[in-house]
Amino acid sequence: MTIKDAPEEWRVVATTTPFRGNKTSVRSDVVVMPDGTSVTRDYQVHPGSVAILALDDAGRVLVLRQYRHPVRQKLWEIPAGLLDVPGENPLHAAQRELYEEAHVKAEDWRVLTDVYTTAGGCDEAVRIFLARELSEADGERFEVSEEEADMELARVELPELVRGVLAGELHNNCLAVGVLALTAALAGDGVDALRPADAPWPARPFAS
């Protein structure tokens, strides 16, 4: 048997949007269950995101530490950002985020993995890229603000990040998924077997 997620959509008989925020909203759907009963499901509607595991020639991962108010912690993360424009090519968004958050560019891009961050309560889909052959970006640094103004940058050995994830010391979803996925890829068929950077993404279709 092939273990593979499959699209399916149960019938929605009513829907409302009780809250609209700057980037996301909350939707309330009345969904018909397989036994014919109807239940209400509330969830966050999200435009989608990209994240970048940037690996330098020394085998170190570029990470940043940023304050996250909902969890009241400063978390070590990999560069990431929203898909601000519907249908935006996720590779272009990832290249932009790597430049804005780390002032870095990469020559080699692969799709590391695609995930839903919290499928029980949010429709956010994230594409995590592997970026290699890093160098400093051209031009002036992007001017950051708000939480990003306090960001710290570091380059950390991949095994140290894996250790931190398994020890319960690092909690960012994309960092954890990214470093574990890269470790699995390196132990398996290698990064050259990863999907190309423009691989289809059904969760967030995009133009070439």
Side-chain angles (χ1 to χ4, degrees):
M1 181 177 65
T2 301
I3 304 298
K4 182 179 179 181
D5 296 338
E8 183 165 347
E9 188 167 352
W10 293 358
R11 187 161 62 97
V12 175
V13 295
T15 185
T16 58
T17 305
F19 171 80
R20 294 184 186 274
N22 185 33
K23 296 291 186 180
T24 66
S25 60
V26 173
R27 183 175 296 163
S28 184
D29 289 344
V30 179
V31 185
V32 179
M33 298 288 105
D35 63 1
T37 60
S38 296
V39 300
T40 300
R41 292 289 179 259
D42 302 320
Y43 59 99
Q44 183 185 24
V45 178
H46 194 285
S49 306
V50 291
I52 307 97
L53 196 150
L55 186 71
D56 69 15
D57 292 340
R60 300 172 302 175
V61 176
L62 193 157
V63 293
L64 50 90
R65 190 163 75 150
Q66 186 172 345
Y67 176 65
R68 293 302 187 183
H69 186 71
V71 295
R72 308 302 199 270
Q73 289 193 34
K74 274 193 170 182
L75 299 182
W76 284 104
E77 307 178 352
I78 57 177
L82 297 176
L83 292 169
D84 293 321
V85 181
E88 181 179 18
N89 188 309
L91 175 59
H92 298 165
Q95 291 169 332
R96 180 187 67 238
E97 293 298 333
L98 187 60
Y99 159 71
E100 290 182 358
E101 295 193 347
H103 199 68
V104 166
K105 62 181 179 179
E107 298 301 321
D108 185 84
W109 290 84
R110 311 291 172 106
V111 174
L112 189 53
T113 190
D114 299 323
V115 295
Y116 292 112
T117 55
T118 321
C122 180
D123 71 351
E124 181 183 15
V126 181
R127 169 155 282 188
I128 303 178
F129 289 93
L130 172 65
R132 296 184 299 167
E133 299 179 24
L134 308 182
S135 61
E136 186 172 356
D138 301 324
E140 296 182 1
R141 285 187 172 272
F142 181 79
E143 186 174 345
V144 296
S145 61
E146 300 175 349
E147 290 92 344
E148 293 182 353
D150 191 43
M151 244 174 5
E152 303 170 51
L153 292 172
R155 297 193 182 201
V156 182
E157 299 281 348
L158 179 63
E160 174 59 18
L161 294 174
V162 172
R163 185 207 63 77
V165 169
L166 298 180
E169 299 170 358
L170 299 171
H171 305 91
N172 175 258
N173 180 292
C174 291
L175 183 148
V177 172
V179 300
L180 295 177
L182 177 57
T183 300
L186 292 171
D189 296 332
V191 297
D192 289 337
L194 294 171
R195 287 173 290 159
D198 60 353
W201 189 16
R204 292 294 185 276
F206 60 92
S208 300

